[in-house]
Amino acid sequence: MIKFLLAIFIGTCLTVLLASFSNSNSGEVSKIEFDSTSLETALLSLGDEKLLHSMPSFDEEKAKLGYELITSGRTLYKGKKSKLISKHFVCTDCHNLTKEFRNVGSESTDDRLSYAINNGLNFLPASTFWGIYNRTSFYNGDYVDKYGEMALDSRDTLENAVQLCAKYCSSGRSLKEWELEAIMHYYKKNELQLSDLNLTKNSKSQLKNNENLNLQEKIDLIKSLKGNYRQSYSATFLGAMPENLRKYGENGNVENGEAIYDRSCLHCHAYKRVTYLSLNKSRLTARMFWRNRKNYSDKSLYQIIRWGTHAKAARKQYMPRFTKEKMSDEQLNDLVAYIKQLAKK
Ligand code: HEC
Ligand code: HEC
């Protein structure tokens, strides 16, 4: 465990160090080094178009403020404590900050859960902030149904997506300019590096000698790089699970179910952290869910997870729904298998 933590620590230090190197010579593109070149630098060196939110570099101080805003909702700014973004949530209630898949190009729910289990992460309803700087499309798929035009305005603009989420997803307020800037610096700091991609030998050698490539080769290489990571995450809303798909615990993977309960439900509900509803691993709690398994109500796991709840004027905290891409039907059935076992103990 200690070795593991140490490895992470050293890894993080290296990344920070390397990131600051690659940022120190912003603007002009130097030689491609696989461990220390950001994906954006590499793409620009091949003549790719700039991202809409492109930033030449990040400022360590601003990124630190951004980190505090994201994890605590407030920070110390110009010697004063800033106002909370939301009374109800911080960003990390719903978003992880680290890599979530073994392979950055994946959005498989199985990968996401096993990566969470192996790396001690939460299993949350929203996408990770890691690598968000390199994405080009936000609030995709069915989120348009929920946020309408606001989602459309946020589709291609990361800053708008942040504002939408600060105000609406977090039941909070719009960010001040310095707050938005700080969060963008945090995102830039956590952008993808070439070393995060699974590049083929051929792509690597092409990148190394990129000055020798002709236009078509550059275009092809950009395309192949972009096929290596997700530029957006899909979002499919599902309704309450229909009767014929509910397995009520049969053949479910109880271990996965428990992992989901721990890393997802308890993250928000243990000790009523963000809601009045206290969940724990007692038989009583499990029986409540088990009793309601056949219902179409918010007490049924098959419904609450797919619908979540809505923020109301008097109760601003709400439960975000899990889209199909954030929890599969199979995983939902696994969760019920775990609840069944706990209820019967
Ligand atoms: C209560 C849950 C919740 C909270 C709190 C929350 N978000 Fe979100 N956020 C979501 C959901 C759900 C999405 C939908 C898209 C996704 O992430 O897959 C989302 C999407 C986003 C996106 C677009 C991501 C993408 O790839 O489509 C950004 C940017 C974002 N949030 C920023 C923030 C910031 C900054 C905060 C804190 C100030 C925050 N969010 C707080 C739930 C939340
Ligand atoms: C991002 C935080 C978050 C996560 C993750 C989360 N919940 Fe919730 N949940 C809430 C909030 C907030 C409410 C709204 C209750 C309130 O008004 O305070 C809620 C409501 C509920 C309700 C009650 C609805 C009602 O009408 O009384 C149930 C049941 C529930 N959640 C179960 C779960 C289960 C099971 C999971 C795991 C799959 C889960 N929640 C994951 C935040 C969360």
Side-chain angles (χ1 to χ4, degrees):
M1 186 64 189
I2 292 189
K3 255 194 202 157
F4 177 67
L5 288 176
L6 199 68
I8 291 194
F9 176 69
I10 293 175
T12 317
C13 292
L14 275 180
T15 319
V16 169
L17 201 72
L18 294 172
S20 53
F21 270 126
S22 67
N23 277 291
S24 59
N25 53 13
S26 58
E28 77 198 69
V29 174
S30 55
K31 210 164 130 37
I32 300 283
E33 297 290 347
F34 285 95
D35 296 329
S36 61
T37 301
S38 80
L39 173 61
E40 182 177 38
T41 306
L43 286 171
L44 290 177
S45 79
L46 296 168
D48 191 28
E49 247 178 73
K50 268 193 183 168
L51 292 161
L52 271 184
H53 53 264
S54 180
M55 300 162 66
S57 60
F58 68 88
D59 176 281
E60 195 63 62
E61 270 309 302
K62 288 181 183 167
K64 190 166 155 271
L65 293 183
Y67 174 77
E68 283 162 7
L69 290 171
I70 285 168
T71 52
S72 326
R74 61 161 32 136
T75 181
L76 218 53
Y77 182 64
K78 295 190 173 162
K80 280 213 309 234
K81 223 181 195 187
S82 64
K83 195 168 149 252
L84 272 180
I85 296 172
S86 162
K87 277 189 241 151
H88 311 288
F89 294 111
V90 292
C91 314
T92 43
D93 288 335
C94 303
H95 295 272
N96 277 324
L97 303 185
T98 54
K99 184 175 170 179
E100 284 192 332
F101 297 90
R102 202 171 52 80
N103 171 352
V104 288
S106 169
E107 69 171 342
S108 137
T109 41
D110 289 345
D111 258 18
R112 191 160 175 262
L113 183 61
S114 66
Y115 197 82
I117 294 172
N118 292 329
N119 295 280
L121 305 179
N122 292 314
F123 189 69
L124 300 179
S127 308
T128 179
F129 284 167
W130 184 77
I132 195 170
Y133 180 84
N134 305 92
R135 281 174 230 157
T136 51
S137 178
F138 312 94
Y139 287 104
N140 301 295
D142 293 336
Y143 279 106
V144 165
D145 293 350
K146 180 157 181 181
Y147 293 111
E149 246 173 52
M150 286 187 298
L152 290 180
D153 290 344
S154 306
R155 273 269 154 99
D156 61 358
T157 313
L158 182 54
E159 287 94 336
N160 290 356
V162 170
Q163 287 290 22
L164 170 63
C165 221
K167 185 154 183 200
Y168 295 97
C169 314
S170 314
S171 290
R173 59 169 172 84
S174 297
L175 301 176
K176 302 209 169 115
E177 213 165 292
W178 69 266
E179 291 174 314
L180 181 58
E181 198 192 351
I183 291 177
M184 291 303 294
H185 279 259
Y186 174 83
Y187 287 163
K188 171 72 183 171
K189 181 173 169 175
N190 291 284
E191 70 183 315
L192 298 179
Q193 305 294 309
L194 282 180
S195 52
D196 293 317
L197 309 188
N198 289 326
L199 296 181
T200 58
K201 262 204 183 127
N202 186 32
S203 302
K204 283 188 182 177
S205 77
Q206 278 192 319
L207 270 169
K208 261 195 188 129
N209 305 304
N210 63 1
E211 67 275 10
N212 301 333
L213 299 177
N214 67 33
L215 187 61
Q216 191 54 48
E217 285 168 330
K218 284 186 178 173
I219 292 172
D220 291 343
L221 185 52
I222 290 175
K223 216 168 135 200
S224 127
L225 287 179
K226 289 189 173 178
N228 251 282
Y229 64 97
R230 295 212 69 83
Q231 292 178 70
S232 66
Y233 285 105
S234 329
T236 311
F237 287 6
L238 297 175
M241 193 188 276
E243 196 63 35
N244 63 332
L245 296 180
R246 298 187 184 195
K247 293 195 179 152
Y248 301 123
E250 210 167 306
N251 300 324
N253 182 327
V254 172
E255 244 172 73
N256 280 351
E258 180 170 14
I260 292 169
Y261 194 68
D262 290 350
R263 296 170 190 284
S264 180
C265 318
L266 294 187
H267 173 60
C268 287
H269 285 277
Y271 308 106
K272 309 186 181 183
R273 201 171 61 79
V274 303
T275 146
Y276 78 90
L277 180 70
S278 175
L279 295 182
N280 54 37
K281 298 173 84 160
S282 71
R283 199 164 62 161
L284 195 70
T285 302
R287 284 192 168 167
M288 184 273 286
F289 282 128
W290 184 245
R291 249 195 339 268
N292 287 289
R293 67 193 180 280
K294 295 200 167 156
N295 297 351
Y296 287 80
S297 80
D298 283 355
K299 296 261 172 349
S300 165
L301 291 170
Y302 289 120
Q303 174 157 321
I304 185 76
I305 286 168
R306 291 304 185 208
W307 281 6
T309 64
H310 285 283
K312 300 183 204 105
R315 273 201 85 70
K316 292 253 181 129
Q317 57 273 60
Y318 72 100
M319 175 161 153
R321 67 201 303 155
F322 280 81
T323 58
K324 179 177 148 202
E325 289 80 7
K326 295 295 188 260
M327 194 188 297
S328 65
D329 276 352
E330 194 184 352
Q331 289 171 335
L332 176 43
N333 272 313
D334 290 345
L335 175 61
V336 175
Y338 166 67
I339 290 294
K340 177 180 179 187
Q341 196 195 59
L342 192 61
K344 305 235 148 140
K345 262 195 182 140

